[in-house]
Amino acid sequence: MRAAKALTVKVLTAARTQTVAVAGEATAAGIVAQMATDLEAVNDRIVAIEKTITAVGAEHELGEIVTGLPGIGTTLAAEFLAHAGTLTTYPSAAALAAHAGLAPISRDSGRRQGHQIRPHRYHRGLRRVFRMSSFTALTHCPRSRAYYDKKRAEGKTHRNPYQPKQSRSAEVALCELA
């Protein structure tokens, strides 16, 4: 958003300092000026929508908890709460993970035991929230980055679940310090 505002300023500044005249210049300048004005209006609307999302998320009973998780800001929190609701439909964290397609499905049969596959049916919106938050946490939370690097050094892929060894409030406090 800031980049768009900066681009708008640059375009308007360049248009005002132009010294060479070409055919159709006035028409093109009018079009560019109108596009810049439209872009500023869109940016203002985006800011207003972000403020509304932040306010609604703060009013939600789980808003503070969800936004306190590493990698989840107001936009991802709003998306998560829209998909998951009040979380009363999930009897456990494993049920939420399964609905988001993060937990493997058992495909045992006969003598074949311990065969697990990636699910084909899952809530794509929830999965997107978890994926985006995990990759955001890698850049903003040192504990998440350290865990990720440790697992990658062990030869693991991107699909390994995070299991904190301390209380959730202590982990959130550590990530907020970063």
Side-chain angles (χ1 to χ4, degrees):
M1 183 170 61
R2 284 186 225 152
K5 200 167 221 53
L7 177 63
T8 303
V9 171
K10 285 181 181 179
V11 167
L12 289 174
T13 303
R16 288 183 188 118
T17 60
Q18 183 176 335
T19 58
V20 177
V22 293
E25 173 185 344
T27 304
I31 292 170
V32 169
Q34 184 59 47
M35 290 173 63
T37 303
D38 293 345
L39 184 58
E40 283 182 324
V42 168
N43 284 335
D44 293 341
R45 183 69 181 134
I46 289 170
V47 169
I49 290 170
E50 286 176 346
K51 286 179 183 176
T52 303
I53 289 172
T54 301
V56 169
E59 291 174 6
H60 194 280
E61 63 185 283
L62 298 173
E64 186 178 341
I65 295 169
V66 175
T67 55
L69 297 171
I72 295 190
T74 54
T75 305
L76 276 180
E79 191 173 339
F80 173 78
L81 293 171
H83 294 308
T86 61
L87 299 179
T88 56
T89 56
Y90 303 105
S92 67
L96 175 61
H99 189 222
L102 302 174
I105 296 174
S106 177
R107 286 288 184 223
D108 296 340
S109 65
R111 292 186 218 153
R112 194 172 183 178
Q113 298 291 318
H115 180 66
Q116 307 224 329
I117 64 166
R118 215 171 73 206
H120 296 288
R121 296 179 60 177
Y122 53 88
H123 194 288
R124 272 136 176 89
L126 276 176
R127 184 168 181 139
R128 179 190 171 284
V129 168
F130 285 118
R131 289 184 62 102
M132 292 294 293
S133 68
S134 66
F135 285 112
T136 302
L138 289 178
T139 58
H140 299 298
C141 178
R143 284 186 53 98
S144 295
R145 173 48 86 179
Y147 181 80
Y148 176 81
D149 291 341
K150 179 179 114 181
K151 290 299 176 183
R152 291 296 287 172
E154 293 174 3
K156 304 287 184 174
T157 64
H158 295 286
R159 295 188 184 100
N160 296 287
Y162 176 63
Q163 301 292 330
K165 292 192 166 82
Q166 62 185 19
S167 70
R168 194 70 170 150
S169 60
E171 180 185 342
V172 170
L174 279 173
C175 290
E176 287 175 354
L177 292 175

mmCIF file of all heavy atoms in Angstrom, residues 16-18 22 27 29 50 58-60 64 68 78 90-91 103 115 124 134 136-137 154-155 161:
data_model
loop_
_atom_site.group_PDB
_atom_site.id
_atom_site.type_symbol
_atom_site.label_atom_id
_atom_site.label_comp_id
_atom_site.label_asym_id
_atom_site.label_seq_id
_atom_site.Cartn_x
_atom_site.Cartn_y
_atom_site.Cartn_z
ATOM 1 N N ARG A 16 4.384 16.689 -13.604
ATOM 2 C CA ARG A 16 4.477 18.144 -13.415
ATOM 3 C C ARG A 16 5.813 18.715 -13.883
ATOM 4 O O ARG A 16 5.895 19.885 -14.235
ATOM 5 C CB ARG A 16 4.262 18.473 -11.937
ATOM 6 C CG ARG A 16 2.824 18.280 -11.499
ATOM 7 C CD ARG A 16 2.620 18.689 -10.050
ATOM 8 N NE ARG A 16 1.291 18.311 -9.617
ATOM 9 C CZ ARG A 16 1.026 17.461 -8.645
ATOM 10 N NH1 ARG A 16 2.011 16.934 -7.945
ATOM 11 N NH2 ARG A 16 -0.214 17.159 -8.337
ATOM 12 N N THR A 17 6.875 17.925 -13.852
ATOM 13 C CA THR A 17 8.201 18.421 -14.226
ATOM 14 C C THR A 17 8.566 18.109 -15.677
ATOM 15 O O THR A 17 9.681 18.369 -16.102
ATOM 16 C CB THR A 17 9.289 17.813 -13.306
ATOM 17 O OG1 THR A 17 9.256 16.394 -13.438
ATOM 18 C CG2 THR A 17 9.073 18.226 -11.870
ATOM 19 N N GLN A 18 7.642 17.583 -16.415
ATOM 20 C CA GLN A 18 7.890 17.218 -17.802
ATOM 21 C C GLN A 18 8.183 18.467 -18.632
ATOM 22 O O GLN A 18 7.481 19.471 -18.536
ATOM 23 C CB GLN A 18 6.663 16.488 -18.351
ATOM 24 C CG GLN A 18 6.826 15.984 -19.759
ATOM 25 C CD GLN A 18 5.613 15.181 -20.190
ATOM 26 O OE1 GLN A 18 4.901 14.627 -19.372
ATOM 27 N NE2 GLN A 18 5.373 15.144 -21.486
ATOM 28 N N VAL A 22 4.804 16.423 -26.593
ATOM 29 C CA VAL A 22 4.552 15.485 -27.685
ATOM 30 C C VAL A 22 3.063 15.502 -27.999
ATOM 31 O O VAL A 22 2.247 15.951 -27.186
ATOM 32 C CB VAL A 22 5.000 14.046 -27.325
ATOM 33 C CG1 VAL A 22 6.499 13.946 -27.177
ATOM 34 C CG2 VAL A 22 4.319 13.539 -26.087
ATOM 35 N N THR A 27 -3.937 14.755 -23.346
ATOM 36 C CA THR A 27 -4.857 13.636 -23.124
ATOM 37 C C THR A 27 -4.235 12.595 -22.202
ATOM 38 O O THR A 27 -4.868 12.125 -21.244
ATOM 39 C CB THR A 27 -5.231 12.981 -24.465
ATOM 40 O OG1 THR A 27 -5.773 13.973 -25.328
ATOM 41 C CG2 THR A 27 -6.249 11.871 -24.260
ATOM 42 N N ALA A 29 -1.795 13.027 -20.062
ATOM 43 C CA ALA A 29 -1.636 13.594 -18.719
ATOM 44 C C ALA A 29 -2.953 13.544 -17.951
ATOM 45 O O ALA A 29 -2.973 13.250 -16.751
ATOM 46 C CB ALA A 29 -1.120 15.021 -18.813
ATOM 47 N N GLU A 50 -9.217 -2.071 6.459
ATOM 48 C CA GLU A 50 -8.300 -2.646 7.446
ATOM 49 C C GLU A 50 -8.664 -2.200 8.865
ATOM 50 O O GLU A 50 -8.586 -2.981 9.806
ATOM 51 C CB GLU A 50 -6.855 -2.280 7.124
ATOM 52 C CG GLU A 50 -6.311 -3.051 5.944
ATOM 53 C CD GLU A 50 -4.906 -2.634 5.545
ATOM 54 O OE1 GLU A 50 -4.427 -1.568 5.996
ATOM 55 O OE2 GLU A 50 -4.287 -3.393 4.788
ATOM 56 N N ALA A 58 -11.037 -7.264 17.182
ATOM 57 C CA ALA A 58 -10.836 -6.937 18.597
ATOM 58 C C ALA A 58 -12.092 -7.215 19.419
ATOM 59 O O ALA A 58 -11.999 -7.560 20.601
ATOM 60 C CB ALA A 58 -10.433 -5.475 18.741
ATOM 61 N N GLU A 59 -13.258 -7.092 18.814
ATOM 62 C CA GLU A 59 -14.510 -7.345 19.517
ATOM 63 C C GLU A 59 -14.827 -8.828 19.646
ATOM 64 O O GLU A 59 -15.603 -9.225 20.506
ATOM 65 C CB GLU A 59 -15.667 -6.649 18.800
ATOM 66 C CG GLU A 59 -15.616 -5.142 18.883
ATOM 67 C CD GLU A 59 -16.690 -4.481 18.036
ATOM 68 O OE1 GLU A 59 -17.551 -5.189 17.474
ATOM 69 O OE2 GLU A 59 -16.673 -3.246 17.935
ATOM 70 N N HIS A 60 -14.253 -9.665 18.779
ATOM 71 C CA HIS A 60 -14.527 -11.106 18.811
ATOM 72 C C HIS A 60 -13.955 -11.713 20.085
ATOM 73 O O HIS A 60 -12.888 -11.322 20.554
ATOM 74 C CB HIS A 60 -13.917 -11.777 17.575
ATOM 75 C CG HIS A 60 -14.409 -13.162 17.347
ATOM 76 N ND1 HIS A 60 -13.934 -14.240 18.035
ATOM 77 C CD2 HIS A 60 -15.341 -13.631 16.492
ATOM 78 C CE1 HIS A 60 -14.546 -15.333 17.615
ATOM 79 N NE2 HIS A 60 -15.411 -14.988 16.670
ATOM 80 N N GLU A 64 -8.246 -11.543 20.520
ATOM 81 C CA GLU A 64 -6.961 -11.274 21.164
ATOM 82 C C GLU A 64 -6.081 -12.524 21.190
ATOM 83 O O GLU A 64 -4.875 -12.449 20.984
ATOM 84 C CB GLU A 64 -7.187 -10.769 22.583
ATOM 85 C CG GLU A 64 -5.921 -10.327 23.276
ATOM 86 C CD GLU A 64 -6.187 -9.772 24.674
ATOM 87 O OE1 GLU A 64 -7.331 -9.410 24.968
ATOM 88 O OE2 GLU A 64 -5.229 -9.718 25.448
ATOM 89 N N GLY A 68 -2.595 -13.021 18.917
ATOM 90 C CA GLY A 68 -1.393 -13.205 19.724
ATOM 91 C C GLY A 68 -0.525 -14.358 19.260
ATOM 92 O O GLY A 68 0.600 -14.526 19.729
ATOM 93 N N ALA A 78 -8.776 -12.420 11.144
ATOM 94 C CA ALA A 78 -10.147 -12.260 10.662
ATOM 95 C C ALA A 78 -10.528 -13.403 9.722
ATOM 96 O O ALA A 78 -11.638 -13.943 9.807
ATOM 97 C CB ALA A 78 -10.294 -10.916 9.950
ATOM 98 N N TYR A 90 -15.195 -27.817 16.896
ATOM 99 C CA TYR A 90 -14.032 -28.706 16.941
ATOM 100 C C TYR A 90 -13.833 -29.215 18.362
ATOM 101 O O TYR A 90 -13.546 -28.435 19.268
ATOM 102 C CB TYR A 90 -12.774 -27.964 16.487
ATOM 103 C CG TYR A 90 -12.911 -27.367 15.108
ATOM 104 C CD1 TYR A 90 -13.097 -25.999 14.947
ATOM 105 C CD2 TYR A 90 -12.877 -28.161 13.973
ATOM 106 C CE1 TYR A 90 -13.235 -25.442 13.683
ATOM 107 C CE2 TYR A 90 -13.023 -27.611 12.719
ATOM 108 C CZ TYR A 90 -13.203 -26.254 12.575
ATOM 109 O OH TYR A 90 -13.340 -25.709 11.336
ATOM 110 N N PRO A 91 -13.961 -30.527 18.580
ATOM 111 C CA PRO A 91 -13.797 -31.059 19.936
ATOM 112 C C PRO A 91 -12.355 -31.007 20.440
ATOM 113 O O PRO A 91 -12.115 -31.067 21.639
ATOM 114 C CB PRO A 91 -14.286 -32.505 19.822
ATOM 115 C CG PRO A 91 -14.205 -32.841 18.377
ATOM 116 C CD PRO A 91 -14.357 -31.554 17.626
ATOM 117 N N ALA A 103 -3.497 -32.690 9.319
ATOM 118 C CA ALA A 103 -3.272 -33.979 9.966
ATOM 119 C C ALA A 103 -3.398 -35.089 8.929
ATOM 120 O O ALA A 103 -4.297 -35.065 8.091
ATOM 121 C CB ALA A 103 -4.293 -34.181 11.075
ATOM 122 N N HIS A 115 -0.076 -46.857 7.780
ATOM 123 C CA HIS A 115 -0.014 -46.177 6.480
ATOM 124 C C HIS A 115 -0.851 -44.902 6.549
ATOM 125 O O HIS A 115 -2.056 -44.955 6.738
ATOM 126 C CB HIS A 115 -0.535 -47.104 5.382
ATOM 127 C CG HIS A 115 -0.503 -46.495 4.019
ATOM 128 N ND1 HIS A 115 0.656 -46.169 3.380
ATOM 129 C CD2 HIS A 115 -1.499 -46.150 3.175
ATOM 130 C CE1 HIS A 115 0.381 -45.639 2.204
ATOM 131 N NE2 HIS A 115 -0.930 -45.620 2.043
ATOM 132 N N ARG A 124 -9.830 -25.479 2.407
ATOM 133 C CA ARG A 124 -8.701 -24.777 1.802
ATOM 134 C C ARG A 124 -8.447 -23.406 2.429
ATOM 135 O O ARG A 124 -7.311 -22.962 2.512
ATOM 136 C CB ARG A 124 -8.899 -24.650 0.306
ATOM 137 C CG ARG A 124 -8.327 -25.880 -0.370
ATOM 138 C CD ARG A 124 -9.151 -26.468 -1.411
ATOM 139 N NE ARG A 124 -8.573 -27.576 -2.124
ATOM 140 C CZ ARG A 124 -8.683 -28.831 -1.744
ATOM 141 N NH1 ARG A 124 -9.219 -29.144 -0.594
ATOM 142 N NH2 ARG A 124 -8.241 -29.803 -2.496
ATOM 143 N N SER A 134 2.403 -19.631 9.253
ATOM 144 C CA SER A 134 3.671 -20.310 9.553
ATOM 145 C C SER A 134 4.830 -19.652 8.821
ATOM 146 O O SER A 134 5.912 -19.468 9.399
ATOM 147 C CB SER A 134 3.585 -21.802 9.211
ATOM 148 O OG SER A 134 3.430 -21.990 7.823
ATOM 149 N N THR A 136 4.920 -16.521 7.787
ATOM 150 C CA THR A 136 5.098 -15.190 8.358
ATOM 151 C C THR A 136 5.856 -15.287 9.674
ATOM 152 O O THR A 136 6.734 -14.474 9.963
ATOM 153 C CB THR A 136 3.735 -14.512 8.578
ATOM 154 O OG1 THR A 136 3.053 -14.439 7.324
ATOM 155 C CG2 THR A 136 3.896 -13.121 9.145
ATOM 156 N N ALA A 137 5.532 -16.302 10.476
ATOM 157 C CA ALA A 137 6.215 -16.487 11.759
ATOM 158 C C ALA A 137 7.703 -16.755 11.559
ATOM 159 O O ALA A 137 8.523 -16.394 12.408
ATOM 160 C CB ALA A 137 5.573 -17.635 12.536
ATOM 161 N N GLU A 154 17.429 -31.575 10.081
ATOM 162 C CA GLU A 154 17.165 -32.996 10.304
ATOM 163 C C GLU A 154 16.664 -33.690 9.037
ATOM 164 O O GLU A 154 16.418 -34.887 9.039
ATOM 165 C CB GLU A 154 16.111 -33.174 11.410
ATOM 166 C CG GLU A 154 16.579 -32.752 12.778
ATOM 167 C CD GLU A 154 15.455 -32.804 13.808
ATOM 168 O OE1 GLU A 154 14.316 -33.215 13.464
ATOM 169 O OE2 GLU A 154 15.715 -32.425 14.962
ATOM 170 N N GLY A 155 16.487 -32.925 7.960
ATOM 171 C CA GLY A 155 16.031 -33.500 6.704
ATOM 172 C C GLY A 155 14.523 -33.515 6.540
ATOM 173 O O GLY A 155 13.996 -34.155 5.636
ATOM 174 N N PRO A 161 4.610 -30.652 12.069
ATOM 175 C CA PRO A 161 3.888 -29.838 13.064
ATOM 176 C C PRO A 161 4.815 -29.311 14.154
ATOM 177 O O PRO A 161 5.793 -29.951 14.527
ATOM 178 C CB PRO A 161 2.873 -30.819 13.642
ATOM 179 C CG PRO A 161 3.487 -32.159 13.447
ATOM 180 C CD PRO A 161 4.278 -32.065 12.172
#
